[in-house]
Amino acid sequence: SSSSARPPLRNPLAAALPASRRASAAPLRASGPLGVSMGVDLATADPKDVRVLVAGCTGYIGRFVTKELISRGYNVVAFSRDKAGVGGKKSMDDVRKDFQGADVRFGDVTDMQSLEEVGFKDKVDVVVSCLASRTGGIQDSNDIDYQASLNCLNALKAQGGTHYVLLSAICVQKPLLEFQRAKLRLEEAIQAQSDVSYSIVRPTAFFKSLAGQVSGVKGGTPYVMFGDGEICKANAISEADLAIVMADCITDKDRCNKVLPVGGPGEPVTPLQQSKILFNLFDMEPKYIKVPIGVFDGIIGAIEFFSKFFPSLVDTAEFAKIGRYYATEDMVGPSYGTTTLEDFFKDVAENGLQGQELGDQAVFNIDGK
């Protein structure tokens, strides 16, 4: 359950707190894992004395989290794949340029030796895992959503680290999909151990995942929605606001050893309400294409039938189930942050979706144009 007492979050545009407002020393905790050095008191330590490793740093949320931590003065290790970003389009030089002020290291989160010898070659105090499977496929979910993040937890424990912050998802509350079950297994493993403290953050939905139809509506095409547009609602959160929540988990003792559902500001909105925001923004008459939810059921049933004969279709069926889930399930959590969905849509209308690619995770195409 989430903490009932939440301190106000910083504005996403606010400057990082000056180091002078924090203690210069990094006091040791009273106890730690046997045979390793004890962790620091993160609430009073100077950020520059706290090494934070970010796994999944080049992902959609990970990128904002990494930059937020750099801005706060932490000793940030950005642990990345050699070929990062959507479709592996980012080179190592691209990643280094993106994370100036961080110690950028390249390796493989699925390989424990790579993690230990590269990512954790120096003592790490905090891990922030923003890892997520690229597709939600069965093997990818188990390899990344569960095992890779567990590898990071085990490496942190082995070093006598202090705190583990996990980016999970609100949808694990109703686990019908393989990636949700993988995330839940990881959450259970985190909560079952006592070597390091933890904060498990479960965001509702990301603005970007709701933005796929902005350019289409702006260009005059109908808004596509499932059913009557009222069957699911969400109070999505901006990447900047979520990055602040994640970073605050390092020092906020009220969020220690907690599972934290996190939504954006304001009331949850349905797809129909989202469409009205867009049509009003562009001063256009509403036009819709309404797709019956039963379409998903027919597609899923057909793919599952043929997957008995063609095993390669198993993941395809899982992808269709993911689409159905997000078209029908509410994604609602306690409100954090300052940026509303309407603010986001206005920004997209003016500046486009450059840098907003979801890649394999997109339901509606987002090409960044």
Side-chain angles (χ1 to χ4, degrees), residues 207-222:
F207 283 171
K208 188 193 302 187
S209 65
L210 306 178
Q213 299 193 71
V214 175
S215 57
V217 170
K218 185 178 182 180
T221 61

Side-chain angles (χ1 to χ4, degrees), residues 28-39 123-124 154-162 195-196:
L28 292 177
R29 293 188 300 179
S31 61
L34 198 59
V36 294
S37 59
M38 293 178 288
K123 171 73 183 299
V124 171
N154 289 336
L156 182 68
K157 288 164 58 178
Q159 283 195 340
T162 303
D195 294 328
V196 299

Side-chain angles (χ1 to χ4, degrees), residues 195-237:
D195 294 328
V196 299
S197 57
Y198 63 85
S199 301
I200 296 172
V201 179
R202 291 177 173 178
T204 51
F206 307 141
F207 283 171
K208 188 193 302 187
S209 65
L210 306 178
Q213 299 193 71
V214 175
S215 57
V217 170
K218 185 178 182 180
T221 61
Y223 186 94
V224 180
M225 62 187 182
F226 298 98
D228 60 2
E230 300 277 13
I231 55 177
C232 63
K233 59 183 180 294
N235 60 327
I237 186 167

